Amino acid sequence: MNRETHDTVRAVQWTGDHLRLLDQRRLPGESVYLDIPDAAGAAAAIRDMVVRGAPAIGITAAYGVAMAARAAPADTSDWLKALEPDMECLAAARPTAVNLFWALNRMRRVIEANGTDLPSALEAEARRIHEEDLAANRRMGALGAALMGPAGAVLTHCNTGSLATGGYGTALGVIRSAFAAGDIDKVYADETRPWLQGARLTAWELVQDGIPVDLVCEGAAASLMRLGRVGWVVVGADRIAANGDTANKIGTYALAVLARHHGVRFMVVAPTSTIDMETPDGAGIPIEERDASEVLSLGGQPVAAEGAGAWNPAFDVTPAELIDAIVTEKGVVEKPDRAKMTALMK
Ligand code: MRU
């Protein structure tokens, strides 16, 4: 945790014995860490939004498998069979962020290798997934900031920071790097209805780390762009298909359309663990639909007319042609398409 790099928050922590998760449902009012003792607890934490953000979900699932292995009888011989129910439970927690399935596949490969002391091997793999994510974020921060250059102010959506990852963040990592380099002086954060990840989480995280942030209602984004107040829109991703189509928090697609109309550049920042080459395009990405009550109420208080229904997709898909650059730890793909994504992932 480093004040100089404007990065002090760690939401996912491994104690050496179990997981500790910052309960993101209670931010910004309270900073409370929950002790998660087992895989079922990790799955529930993902499902119930204690932990959220694609990379953080993957890391949590990996530790979930490590905890399941520790809890298995010492004389277990068929580890895949023993751990399968917990892995299925973790996989069912949320459908869109591919990092969840990517992390479970990495853990599965360790199980299939069937070495000695599998619980220790699985814990080591989960730690590696965690550390690699942090390193990828730092690398993307440098690459994205170099691409951005002097931008003045940027607009971001949802929360893509230390809270959503192993640390530092994806889009927010680029913002941290660009701020440290003096290339941006202000972040506009969309409030991000209905969970308010922008208002509750991004604003909190940036305030903690001394980066100036102004919150805007989603509806203000068009005016912000028309007035020339932002040079870039910088967002994360939950799943990037093989042609570059990108699923991210609901509202991202609208920002991409607005950005193109106003000549504002649009950057997606995501580690290669978010790229799903098995899904040809955005139409194949499963979009989570959450309960209508999340839209009809706020903080437990009803905000809609009684009797109204609500449609609550948690994500949308931005077509690749609206994206100026996808920044990964393996490099930057400008004007993404299938051929360039294939070359990146080789
Ligand atoms: O529903 P959430 O809060 O898990 O959605 C998170 C997002 O959409 C993020 O933008 C995405 O996971 C990238 S996080 C680095």
Side-chain angles (χ1 to χ4, degrees):
M1 303 187 204
N2 187 337
R3 288 214 168 268
E4 271 169 32
T5 53
H6 305 276
D7 178 31
T8 59
V9 176
R10 289 293 176 267
V12 181
Q13 299 178 4
W14 177 248
T15 65
D17 171 67
H18 66 273
L19 259 183
R20 290 187 77 223
L21 296 175
L22 179 55
D23 187 348
Q24 300 189 31
R25 300 166 305 181
R26 295 164 78 164
L27 288 170
E30 293 176 298
S31 245
V32 176
Y33 281 84
L34 302 182
D35 289 303
I36 310 290
D38 53 24
I46 294 169
R47 194 182 51 242
D48 299 340
M49 306 281 282
V50 169
V51 60
R52 29 67 49 205
I57 288 172
I59 294 163
T60 299
Y63 283 125
V65 177
M67 291 189 291
R70 280 165 170 264
D75 61 353
T76 299
S77 56
D78 188 341
W79 279 98
L80 207 48
K81 191 170 166 208
L83 299 181
E84 198 61 64
D86 280 316
M87 289 202 290
E88 277 174 19
C89 171
L90 286 160
R94 289 187 79 187
T96 304
V98 78
N99 306 60
L100 171 61
F101 310 100
W102 170 88
L104 289 174
N105 279 338
R106 269 189 59 166
M107 300 303 276
R108 182 182 294 275
R109 283 202 290 276
V110 173
I111 299 168
E112 283 168 353
N114 207 12
T116 53
D117 193 1
L118 206 62
S120 298
L122 287 169
E123 181 186 338
E125 184 70 349
R127 282 177 186 265
R128 259 192 302 276
I129 288 172
H130 195 169
E131 283 157 16
E132 284 170 16
D133 185 64
L134 185 52
N137 291 339
R138 292 239 162 83
R139 176 87 188 120
M140 292 187 291
L143 291 173
L147 177 71
M148 182 184 285
V154 296
L155 173 63
T156 191
H157 190 61
C158 194
N159 172 268
T160 63
S162 292
L163 291 169
T165 64
Y168 203 66
T170 57
L172 229 50
V174 169
I175 286 169
R176 283 193 160 93
S177 293
F179 182 76
D183 282 340
I184 61 175
D185 50 23
K186 158 91 61 88
V187 179
Y188 289 99
D190 261 343
E191 59 179 356
T192 317
R193 276 282 286 154
W195 270 83
L196 297 176
Q197 287 94 332
R200 295 189 305 104
L201 308 180
T202 297
W204 178 80
E205 200 176 317
L206 292 177
V207 168
Q208 298 295 306
D209 290 334
I211 300 177
V213 55
D214 275 1
L215 203 58
V216 289
C217 305
E218 259 99 315
S223 296
L224 201 62
M225 292 186 207
R226 191 173 188 85
L227 292 171
R229 294 222 191 153
V230 288
W232 282 85
V233 177
V234 191
V235 298
D238 286 82
R239 192 184 297 226
I240 301 175
N243 69 342
D245 289 354
T246 293
N248 191 49
K249 177 55 54 194
I250 189 74
T252 304
Y253 172 39
L255 293 180
V257 173
L258 289 173
R260 186 55 57 90
H261 179 76
H262 291 97
V264 172
R265 279 162 299 169
F266 191 88
M267 185 192 298
V268 172
V269 188
T272 50
S273 54
T274 305
I275 298 174
D276 175 11
M277 293 303 283
E278 280 167 25
T279 298
D281 56 41
I285 299 177
I287 299 294
E288 176 183 16
E289 289 198 18
R290 296 184 62 91
D291 203 87
S293 62
E294 293 179 355
V295 175
L296 298 171
S297 61
L298 193 57
Q301 296 299 314
V303 291
E306 213 180 309
W311 177 51
N312 186 17
F315 303 97
D316 57 24
V317 174
T318 299
E321 60 263 28
L322 293 179
I323 298 170
D324 290 294
I326 296 179
V327 175
T328 77
E329 81 283 9
K330 288 192 180 165
V332 175
V333 180
E334 293 192 55
K335 300 195 188 328
D337 60 19
R338 193 178 307 277
K340 291 179 191 171
M341 296 305 291
T342 305
L344 176 83
M345 295 303 279
K346 261 197 181 134

